[in-house]
Amino acid sequence: MAKGIVALQKLREQAATLKKYHPDWSFNKIGKKIGCRHSFVSRWVRRDQACEPLHDQSRSGRPPKADAAAQEHIVMAAQLPECRTAADVAAKLQQDQHLSFSVTTVKRVLRQHGLQHLSPVARPMLTDSHKLARVKFAKAVLRRDKTSKRRWLNTDSKIFHLHKMGRPLRRWCSPGARGTVPRPKHSIAAHVYMGICYWGVTKLMFVTGTHKQVSKFVNPKSKRLYAGVGSSEYSEVLSQTFVPEGNRLFQQAGQWADKWQLQQDNAKPHKTATNMAYIAENVPGGHFLTWPACSPDMSPIENMWAWMEGKLHKEYQPKNVEELKDSLEQIRQSIPASMLHNMFDGFQARMQRVVDLDGEYINM
C-alpha cells in the first residue's frame, strides 16, 4: 500500500476518533486539529456514525495492470546493474519476461516500494593492496588496548566553501515554475587544519587555500610560491597548533599527557623527514600507526567535518571569508563532548567492520 494511502487512512481514523471523544467539537475545529478541511472531517465522521467502513472500497473499472507478482518483477529488475532508469527497467521486463509496462507505471511501482532514483556516491577506487593495508591497519588497532584510542590526536584539513557547491536539491514543481538557484563561478573558501581527541578539540589554523591567503614559502624546485600547503607551512601547523594543543588537551584531561600520539594522513608535506623527526622529538608517544591510503572512511574526524559543514550551511549565513572563519570558530566551540566520546569509543567497531568486509569501504 502506498504511503499516501496509509496517511490518508490515519487522518480519517483521527477525525472519527476525535469526534467520539469530543462530541461538542465542530467539524472545523477537528479539521484544524489534524490539518484537514472541515468537509473532509464531515464526510468521514458521518460515515463512521453510520457504521460504514473508513477505508476505500473496491472501485469499478480496469484493475491495476501491475499486480503483486508484476510489482515484484519490477523491483527486482530495478536492482540490476544494467537498469539505471525506469525506461531501462521497462525494456528489461519486455525483453526477459514479456511484460509490457509504461515508464510511468514503473516509476509509480518503484516509489510505492520506497525506492528513489539517486546517484551513487563517488569514492576513490580501492586496489587489492589498498584493501590489504586497510585490514592490516585495522587488525593492528584491534590488538591494542581498548583505551589506547583515548590517547591519540586525530588530525586533518578541510576546505569549507562560503556557498554550497553541490548539485541543487530536486523538488516537485510545474515545468513553468522550476525556478533558479544562484551559484558563483568560484566560491570563497577557507582551508583549515584541526585535531580532535577523546578529551577535546584543538584550535583552528587557517592555511594556504583560504581566500586571499597566499603561501609565504617558496618551492625550491619551481622557485615559486607554493600553491597549496607545503612541508614548511605544515611544520608551522605542527609547532603552533597540533603539538602545543595536544599537550594542553591531555594535560587538562589528567591522562596520557606523557604518552599521547599524533595521527595524520599520508599527504607528502606531512611525511617529510623534517616533520616526522619533529613529531618523534616533540610528541610524547610519537606518530600513530601509518594511516592506509584512500581511507577517509576509517577516520573519525571525517564525521566531524561533515557535521561542521552541515551546521555551517544550516545555521550560519556568512557573507565573506572573515565571517566564514568566525562561523567555523563558533561551530568548533559548540562541539559537544559526547560526540567526541562516541566517535572514539566506536573506533574499535569501525576497525572490526573493516576486517569483516576484507578492507572494503564502510558506511559509518
Side-chain angles (χ1 to χ4, degrees):
M1 185 179 289
K3 294 182 180 179
I5 299 177
V6 174
L8 193 62
Q9 181 70 22
K10 288 183 178 179
L11 287 176
R12 297 169 184 172
E13 294 173 355
Q14 288 176 5
T17 303
L18 286 174
K19 189 62 177 178
K20 288 180 180 178
Y21 284 96
H22 304 281
D24 56 325
W25 282 15
S26 66
F27 295 144
N28 191 37
K29 184 174 182 179
I30 296 176
K32 290 182 178 180
K33 194 74 174 178
I34 63 176
C36 296
R37 295 172 61 89
H38 71 280
S39 57
F40 175 90
V41 177
S42 171
R43 177 186 178 187
W44 294 104
V45 166
R46 288 194 172 115
R47 286 194 63 170
D48 181 66
Q49 291 173 346
C51 298
E52 296 180 4
L54 298 181
H55 57 79
D56 288 326
Q57 298 184 12
S58 58
R59 302 176 182 180
S60 60
R62 181 181 64 82
K65 191 170 185 179
D67 56 13
Q71 291 184 21
E72 184 178 353
H73 286 303
I74 292 175
V75 173
M76 292 176 62
Q79 298 174 2
L80 297 175
E82 62 269 25
C83 294
R84 298 185 177 183
T85 65
D88 294 339
V89 175
K92 184 70 173 177
L93 292 171
Q94 177 68 38
Q95 178 182 353
D96 296 350
Q97 306 290 338
H98 302 290
L99 298 174
S100 179
F101 296 109
S102 67
V103 174
T104 302
T105 300
V106 171
K107 288 181 179 180
R108 183 176 65 250
V109 170
L110 294 177
R111 287 171 181 167
Q112 289 176 354
H113 284 76
L115 300 181
Q116 300 180 40
H117 193 234
L118 303 175
S119 301
V121 179
R123 287 172 171 168
M125 185 179 295
L126 290 177
T127 63
D128 291 339
S129 60
H130 287 148
K131 296 175 184 178
L132 288 173
R134 286 162 60 89
V135 172
K136 181 180 179 181
F137 175 88
K139 289 182 176 180
V141 172
L142 292 172
R143 284 194 296 267
R144 295 190 171 197
D145 180 43
K146 291 185 177 181
T147 60
S148 63
K149 58 185 175 297
R150 299 187 179 184
R151 62 186 175 107
W152 58 282
L153 183 69
N154 187 204
T155 66
D156 196 12
S157 70
K158 169 74 175 176
I159 298 178
F160 290 93
H161 292 275
L162 187 67
H163 306 94
K164 294 184 71 173
M165 299 300 289
R167 186 176 181 178
L169 297 177
R170 295 183 177 185
R171 62 185 64 184
W172 294 103
C173 60
S174 59
R178 184 175 180 179
T180 60
V181 176
R183 183 175 183 178
K185 186 175 182 180
H186 302 289
S187 177
I188 295 174
H191 188 191
V192 61
Y193 271 92
M194 187 182 75
I196 63 173
C197 67
Y198 185 87
W199 313 104
V201 185
T202 70
K203 67 180 183 180
L204 304 177
M205 185 166 181
F206 296 94
V207 294
T208 302
T210 301
H211 184 64
K212 292 186 177 180
Q213 182 169 334
V214 182
S215 176
K216 59 184 178 181
F217 299 100
V218 177
N219 188 325
K221 294 183 179 180
S222 64
K223 307 301 182 183
R224 297 179 180 178
L225 294 176
Y226 280 103
V229 176
S231 173
S232 300
E233 187 170 8
Y234 185 69
S235 297
E236 290 188 347
V237 175
L238 288 172
S239 61
Q240 297 178 18
T241 302
F242 289 161
V243 172
E245 286 290 287
N247 288 327
R248 176 183 66 82
L249 290 171
F250 287 97
Q251 288 173 3
Q252 287 180 353
Q255 298 188 49
W256 314 112
D258 58 342
K259 293 182 179 180
W260 70 273
Q261 295 178 301
L262 182 79
Q263 180 274 320
Q264 59 184 4
D265 59 26
N266 293 320
K268 288 184 179 181
H270 303 173
K271 304 289 288 185
T272 60
T274 302
N275 289 335
M276 295 302 291
Y278 180 86
I279 292 172
E281 183 178 350
N282 294 276
V283 177
H287 184 255
F288 191 65
L289 296 171
T290 301
W291 199 265
C294 301
S295 302
D297 57 316
M298 296 170 60
S299 178
I301 200 170
E302 296 296 334
N303 299 85
M304 181 63 71
W305 291 137
W307 178 83
M308 292 178 66
E309 189 169 34
K311 194 174 182 68
L312 172 68
H313 293 297
K314 184 177 181 180
E315 301 181 13
Y316 297 84
Q317 290 80 38
K319 296 180 176 59
N320 52 55
V321 68
E322 294 303 323
E323 292 186 7
L324 177 59
K325 292 180 179 180
D326 293 341
S327 299
L328 291 173
E329 177 58 29
Q330 293 178 34
I331 294 172
R332 183 195 72 86
Q333 295 177 7
S334 69
I335 295 174
S338 59
M339 180 185 294
L340 296 170
H341 295 169
N342 291 337
M343 285 182 177
F344 285 90
D345 285 341
F347 189 67
Q348 294 285 114
R350 190 185 293 253
M351 295 298 99
Q352 185 61 55
R353 183 154 178 79
V354 173
V355 175
D356 295 340
L357 295 177
D358 294 326
E360 293 287 352
Y361 270 109
I362 58 176
N363 295 317
M364 299 187 71

